[in-house]
């Protein structure tokens, strides 16, 4: 389930786990600073929360945790190594790095993205770090590569709007992430590799 975390309290988590059957929570974050994150996505004062506390509760209820980082300039103060260490400390099993794009429109959102998206050089720095320090796990259906870094599954999503899948040629389609088998581990979760926790699927 994709969420900003608003209204995701203990009762709701318990309901999702026990009655809906949700197994993975994908938490969208635009800054590691809770106040800045809340300002960016305009969370009302009475609904603001601690991302650290929420991540802890998500893990306590035995969900897999994906951090979907909307790459605003708030993250540029972190080296790639520090950024992934922060994700690990928050308990992430998976991390998706979403490159923000403006549609060129004159809307308030488009103007904000144009002003606050991360620099191309920072994206390249992240990509270099992932390739140098990670091991390739596979390719997702829309073409992005999935790496294992420090026990977490990492995806750098350069197509966060999902618009390029129709342009993928047959050769690339054959390289996509397909599984010959899945491994059910003692934690009751499915993995694509026996010995790599970052290969978690759900």
């Amino acid at each position: 389930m994709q969420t900003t975390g608003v209204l995701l309290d203990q009762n709701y988590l318990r309901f999702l786990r026990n009655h809906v059957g949700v197994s993975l929570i994908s938490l969208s974050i635009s800054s590691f600073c809770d106040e800045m994150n809340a300002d960016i996505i305009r969370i009302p004062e009475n609904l603001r929360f601690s991302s650290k506390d929420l991540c802890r509760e998500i893990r306590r209820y035995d969900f897999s945790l994906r951090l979907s980082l909307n790459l605003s300039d708030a993250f540029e103060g972190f080296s790639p190594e520090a950024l992934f260490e922060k994700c690990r400390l928050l308990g992430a099993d998976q991390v998706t790095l979403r490159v923000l794009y403006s549609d060129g429109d004159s809307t308030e959102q488009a103007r904000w993205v144009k002003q606050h998206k991360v620099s191309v050089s920072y994206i390249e720095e992240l990509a270099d770090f992932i390739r140098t320090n990670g091991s390739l796990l596979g390719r997702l259906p829309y073409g992005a590569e999935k790496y294992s870094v420090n026990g977490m599954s990492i995806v750098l999503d350069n197509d966060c709007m999902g618009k390029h899948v129709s342009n993928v040629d047959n050769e690339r389609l054959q390289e996509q992430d397909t599984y010959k088998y899945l491994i059910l581990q003692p934690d009751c979760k499915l993995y694509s590799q026996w010995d790599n926790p970052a290969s978690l699927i759900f």
Side-chain angles (χ1 to χ4, degrees):
M1 186 182 84
Q2 185 79 42
T3 178
T4 60
V6 178
L7 299 177
L8 194 60
D9 58 15
Q10 291 183 10
N11 290 333
Y12 196 16
L13 287 169
R14 190 181 301 114
F15 171 76
L16 291 171
R17 176 84 262 180
N18 298 336
H19 300 287
V20 182
V22 171
S23 61
L24 184 144
I25 301 287
S26 180
L27 181 63
S28 292
I29 296 177
S30 298
S31 171
F32 286 135
C33 170
D34 289 331
E35 185 176 350
M36 185 179 294
N37 182 63
D39 287 343
I40 290 171
I41 61 176
R42 298 184 174 179
I43 303 175
E45 286 290 339
N46 62 320
L47 296 178
R48 296 191 174 199
F49 58 90
S50 162
S51 296
K52 180 180 178 181
D53 291 346
L54 178 57
C55 288
R56 184 181 63 244
E57 289 301 297
I58 289 170
R59 295 307 305 264
R60 187 166 76 88
Y61 281 94
D62 202 31
F63 292 97
S64 298
L65 172 61
R66 176 185 300 152
L67 293 180
S68 295
L69 305 185
N70 299 316
L71 290 178
S72 73
D73 53 5
F75 292 107
E76 288 206 54
F78 291 84
S79 68
E81 184 176 9
L83 183 140
F84 291 127
E85 177 62 10
K86 177 70 172 177
C87 292
R88 189 189 67 80
L89 291 174
L90 287 172
D93 300 292
Q94 304 173 345
V95 179
T96 297
L97 304 170
R98 289 177 172 165
V99 178
L100 300 178
Y101 292 100
S102 168
D103 59 7
D105 203 347
S106 59
T107 63
E108 182 181 356
Q109 293 85 352
R111 289 195 301 271
W112 188 93
V113 168
K114 189 174 181 179
Q115 291 175 349
H116 295 284
K117 63 183 180 180
V118 297
S119 63
V120 172
S121 62
Y122 187 66
I123 295 169
E124 291 173 348
E125 191 178 348
L126 288 170
D128 288 342
F129 181 89
I130 292 166
R131 284 192 293 264
T132 302
N133 297 277
S135 58
L136 184 64
L137 292 170
R139 191 183 296 274
L140 299 177
Y142 58 91
E145 292 176 334
K146 180 170 61 172
Y147 284 82
S148 170
V149 178
N150 296 336
M152 298 178 294
S153 167
I154 308 293
V155 173
L156 178 58
D157 184 1
N158 283 305
D159 182 25
C160 64
M161 301 305 291
K163 293 182 178 178
H164 295 120
V165 68
S166 61
N167 297 325
V168 178
D169 59 27
N170 289 333
E171 181 179 345
R172 189 173 178 189
L173 282 170
Q174 291 173 2
E175 295 175 355
Q176 290 179 7
D177 196 7
T178 56
Y179 303 110
K180 293 181 179 178
Y181 55 83
L182 298 176
I183 299 97
L184 179 63
Q185 295 282 27
D187 61 1
C188 296
K189 297 179 181 180
L190 288 176
Y191 297 80
S192 63
Q193 296 182 13
W194 287 100
D195 57 353
N196 195 331
S199 69
L200 172 74
I201 299 169
F202 61 86

